[in-house]
Amino acid sequence: MGLLDELKERILIADGAMGTLLYSHGIDRCFEELNLSNPDEIVHIHEAYIAAGADVIQTNTYGANYVKLARYGLQDEVPAINRAAVRLAKQAANGGAYVLGTIGGLRTLNKSVVTLEEVKRTFREQLFVLLAEGVDGVLLETYYDLEELETVLAIARKETDLPIIAHVSLHEVGVLQDGTPLADALARLEALGADVVGLNCRLGPYHMLRSLEEVPLPKQAFLSAYPNASLPDYRDGRLVYETNAEYFEEAAKAFRDQGVRLIGGCCGTTPKHIEAMAKALADRTPVTEKTVKRRAASVSVQADRPAPTPLPELARTRRSVIVELDPPKKLGIDKFLAGAKALHDAGIDALTLADNSLATPRISNAAVATIVKERLGVRPLVHITCRDRNLIGLQSHLMGLHTLGITDVLAITGDPSKIGDFPGATSVYDVSSFDLIRLISQFNEGLSYSGKPLGQKTNFSIGAAFNPNVRHLDKAVERMEKKIQCGAHYFLTQPVYSEEKIVQIYEATKHLATPIYIGIMPLVSARNAEFLHHEVPGITLSDEIRARMAACSGDPVQAAKEGIAIAKSLIDAAFDLFNGIYLITPFLRYDMTVELVRYIHEKEAAAKERKVVHG
């Protein structure tokens, strides 16, 4: 009788955590490598779980893939580590327990770190070794990203007829991080050929049971659950799980009531937990019917406040000018407010506010944005970097901006902290700019990163960065297209200092419907020009422009005039190609950008007048 045949008749008990026991034994290195260097330890743990009542054990291969082993310099040992793992598990089982070949998920918070192509390559390498060694089934566990799990499940189903167990992991009760309800996700996995579908990791029994209350019994597959022992505590640099085994005895009965037929444990669980569950389910009788709890959906409603015309819509229908004015590096904002007012009076559509540009601390752009909005009636466009906030902070920041009525944001990676005033500071980068755009788009659907309803839909207009100052412009355009797929509504470019480059940008992007604001920043001196050209990533100046600025060296007034003249010629080049103009103010010299704003409006008025005369 095989694994699936047994599941038709009775509940099977699986094993618990491997890493938890190794960690408790003082081992704090690559757990999968122990298959080679300390095989007796691995066999001993397998045997302990079987003695506790486990009918099913899994190989010590959760992270035995190229990507994760590369962190330890063990990427070439993937085949050897996986082969050894299967042999050790089969040795311990000795025919008395099923052996599942375990493959863990790769994608975590920052999905862009591992592409789907990488996922496929590393998955196939591990899968083929496990199958060749004769496992009794395949366990796909700890997949937060449903797209990744569906991808690898399809590969596994094509390669083998062995039983496949597919486990998702949740941040929130009953919903995946992309907002997919658990019941829908498990149904999709069943449709792709999974024989057993369920949950593992992250949640303890209480929250995992609440999630399963909303899941009907599958039509063909079976349900499984591998809960964590509890929520972890952090003590003296170590993660500690507190739940006692007796709690799992009662939980096991509740899991049976929810239709679970394969039950084991994940982080924090030990042979004692497995023994308690085996004791609770001694008769192993599964349920064949259950009542599904239907929770009332949390209604996401749009906040009842008037929203301005989105910036991309402005750039589609008319000339639109936005200006960047960085918040001050020092306390006191009088000069900044004077500049913001002058720019507002000149007729800008929005004031963009950098987020600690060049990794230099400045007054919070959210605070400054609120002040200019409330005091001056200026429309703020707030930059958000991935550098300074973890995923918790980013979401809190977005909720705060929404609460303040700030709807225009620019999602960017952010300059690394090592180039700024505090090179020893940590750059967070929990997510990439692509992931941040997806996150903001998800907020616009009323969902947090974890899929939890926010109670309201946000109304963010999502800007993204585009750097055309690269050797291969086509590659930069491909990044734009990817950002559009993630949810970007419009783009702001890095400063451009070449009329030819502006034409190239137009030719390379004219197939896109997404508006582009061309970045133009007036130069103030020859030193400024050389610094930007040589030391600021993403900015390149032509030899002609550097020579023109060098000719004004030592004469700040003439240098500023020359900088304005260069900027005006760039505006002329962009004028008939792009509706959006993005002016960057250098060193709070808002007088320069005010002049350029007026120049743009004068050109626009003159063009309209010519159209009327000749029309």
Side-chain angles (χ1 to χ4, degrees):
M1 184 179 289
L3 173 64
L4 297 182
D5 293 324
E6 289 212 49
L7 286 173
K8 291 177 183 177
E9 305 297 331
R10 68 193 191 102
I11 296 171
L12 295 183
I13 305 298
D15 56 2
M18 174 70 70
T20 295
L21 292 180
L22 293 172
Y23 194 58
S24 70
H25 295 170
I27 298 172
D28 190 12
R29 61 180 192 272
C30 178
F31 294 147
E32 290 79 10
E33 187 275 335
L34 296 172
N35 297 332
L36 301 177
S37 64
N38 195 351
D40 291 344
E41 182 76 22
I42 304 303
V43 171
H44 174 72
I45 292 175
H46 285 319
E47 291 175 338
Y49 279 120
I50 294 170
D55 307 294
V56 179
I57 63 173
Q58 57 180 297
T59 55
N60 181 35
T61 54
Y62 168 75
N65 58 68
Y66 185 95
V67 172
K68 291 187 176 179
L69 290 179
R71 301 170 186 170
Y72 303 94
L74 297 170
Q75 61 270 26
D76 294 332
E77 300 298 322
V78 171
I81 289 174
N82 281 275
R83 278 196 297 267
V86 179
R87 293 170 185 176
L88 296 175
K90 293 173 79 171
Q91 175 187 333
N94 194 27
Y98 295 104
V99 173
L100 300 178
T102 297
I103 303 178
L106 289 174
R107 286 181 161 185
T108 52
L109 302 180
N110 192 338
K111 291 171 60 173
S112 301
V113 170
V114 184
T115 66
L116 276 182
E117 288 306 310
E118 280 184 284
V119 167
K120 293 175 185 177
R121 284 195 300 270
T122 192
F123 179 80
R124 286 192 177 98
E125 180 183 24
Q126 191 177 3
L127 175 69
F128 292 158
V129 177
L130 295 173
L131 294 179
E133 288 299 316
V135 293
D136 298 312
V138 177
L139 172 60
L140 309 176
E141 69 169 7
T142 321
Y143 284 82
Y144 288 95
D145 180 35
L146 184 57
E147 179 186 37
E148 180 188 9
L149 180 52
E150 289 179 318
T151 299
V152 299
L153 172 56
I155 293 172
R157 186 73 289 165
K158 183 178 179 180
E159 297 295 337
T160 182
D161 293 327
L162 291 174
I164 299 176
I165 297 93
H167 282 173
V168 297
S169 296
L170 309 179
H171 296 291
E172 301 289 343
V173 171
V175 64
L176 277 67
Q177 67 182 22
D178 66 353
T180 303
L182 175 61
D184 293 350
L186 298 187
R188 285 163 59 174
L189 297 174
E190 181 184 10
L192 283 170
D195 301 291
V196 182
V197 295
L199 296 163
N200 83 289
C201 206
R202 179 68 176 86
L203 304 179
Y206 175 77
H207 291 103
M208 197 169 281
L209 284 164
R210 286 187 62 204
S211 298
L212 288 170
E213 288 174 352
E214 303 174 39
V215 176
L217 295 177
K219 297 176 181 178
Q220 301 294 331
F222 303 108
L223 285 179
S224 59
Y226 286 41
N228 279 2
S230 65
L231 296 175
D233 193 9
Y234 191 70
R235 299 179 191 166
D236 301 323
R238 297 174 69 90
L239 292 175
V240 179
Y241 293 86
E242 290 289 354
T243 301
N244 59 46
E246 289 75 16
Y247 176 64
F248 262 60
E249 185 174 342
E250 294 304 313
K253 299 173 185 177
F255 277 113
R256 175 174 57 185
D257 293 341
Q258 293 306 319
V260 172
R261 296 204 185 195
L262 177 63
I263 181 168
C266 204
C267 300
T269 58
T270 68
K272 290 184 178 180
H273 294 86
I274 302 307
E275 183 178 19
M277 291 194 294
K279 177 183 176 183
L281 302 175
D283 64 4
R284 305 296 180 90
T285 304
V287 301
T288 56
E289 295 181 359
K290 67 177 285 191
T291 301
V292 178
K293 182 176 290 187
R294 304 291 184 186
R295 285 194 175 85
S298 299
V299 179
S300 294
V301 296
Q302 187 68 50
D304 186 18
R305 58 164 69 104
T309 302
L311 289 173
E313 190 61 31
L314 292 181
R316 283 192 183 95
T317 56
R318 65 166 174 81
R319 186 76 52 198
S320 178
V321 183
I322 60 179
V323 176
E324 180 172 322
L325 189 66
D326 284 349
K329 296 179 182 179
K330 297 180 180 179
L331 297 176
I333 60 171
D334 290 347
K335 183 178 179 181
F336 177 88
L337 290 179
K341 184 178 186 306
L343 290 164
H344 181 56
D345 292 345
I348 65 171
D349 290 308
L351 188 73
T352 79
L353 302 160
D355 192 9
N356 300 325
S357 58
L358 296 179
T360 299
R362 296 175 180 271
I363 295 175
S364 160
N365 62 356
V368 172
T370 303
I371 291 172
V372 298
K373 178 175 178 287
E374 293 181 352
R375 292 189 191 177
L376 306 177
V378 172
R379 177 177 185 166
L381 193 171
V382 174
H383 299 198
I384 305 175
T385 70
C386 304
R387 178 196 59 230
D388 296 339
R389 302 172 189 87
N390 65 13
L391 191 55
I392 298 169
L394 282 172
Q395 293 184 90
S396 174
H397 188 50
L398 288 169
M399 288 191 284
L401 292 174
H402 171 77
T403 303
L404 292 168
I406 296 171
T407 59
D408 296 295
V409 295
L410 177 71
I412 56 176
T413 302
D415 305 305
S417 58
K418 65 181 180 180
I419 75 169
D421 291 353
F422 298 94
T426 301
S427 293
V428 181
Y429 299 130
D430 267 1
V431 296
S432 69
S433 57
F434 299 100
D435 299 316
L436 179 55
I437 292 167
R438 287 193 196 96
L439 172 61
I440 301 170
S441 295
Q442 199 160 309
F443 265 56
N444 282 349
E445 295 299 318
L447 299 172
S448 72
Y449 183 88
S450 65
K452 185 177 182 179
L454 293 169
Q456 292 182 348
K457 291 183 179 181
T458 59
N459 189 33
F460 290 117
S461 183
I462 308 169
F466 168 43
N467 178 18
N469 301 312
V470 292
R471 181 172 299 177
H472 301 290
L473 186 57
D474 58 329
K475 298 297 183 183
V477 174
E478 287 178 9
R479 286 178 60 85
M480 287 181 72
E481 292 169 340
K482 184 177 177 182
K483 289 181 179 181
I484 293 170
Q485 293 172 0
C486 292
H489 297 141
Y490 64 101
F491 289 89
L492 276 61
T493 79
Q494 289 274 29
V496 179
Y497 287 98
S498 164
E499 296 172 27
E500 293 78 11
K501 175 64 73 173
I502 290 173
V503 175
Q504 290 174 12
I505 295 169
Y506 171 76
E507 292 297 332
T509 62
K510 62 183 179 182
H511 64 288
L512 300 176
T514 308
I516 298 171
Y517 283 80
I518 290 292
I520 296 173
M521 180 167 69
L523 300 166
V524 298
S525 67
R527 288 180 61 185
N528 172 225
E530 293 303 306
F531 172 73
L532 291 174
H533 179 71
H534 291 290
E535 299 193 36
V536 177
I539 297 180
T540 304
L541 275 63
S542 68
D543 292 340
E544 177 195 355
I545 286 178
R546 291 164 60 203
R548 286 172 65 178
M549 294 305 299
C552 304
S553 182
D555 187 342
V557 174
Q558 185 57 38
K561 288 181 179 179
E562 191 64 31
I564 290 287
I566 292 169
K568 287 180 178 179
S569 67
L570 294 169
I571 290 170
D572 291 342
F575 199 79
D576 293 328
L577 302 178
F578 297 96
N579 271 352
I581 303 294
Y582 163 43
L583 301 175
I584 300 102
T585 306
F587 310 110
L588 273 179
R589 290 287 303 273
Y590 60 84
D591 56 308
M592 299 179 76
T593 39
V594 164
E595 183 175 344
L596 294 176
V597 172
R598 289 172 177 161
Y599 178 74
I600 293 169
H601 288 318
E602 289 167 1
K603 279 183 68 70
E604 184 72 5
K608 288 180 179 178
E609 185 175 340
R610 286 194 300 272
K611 189 174 181 179
V612 170
V613 171
H614 298 290

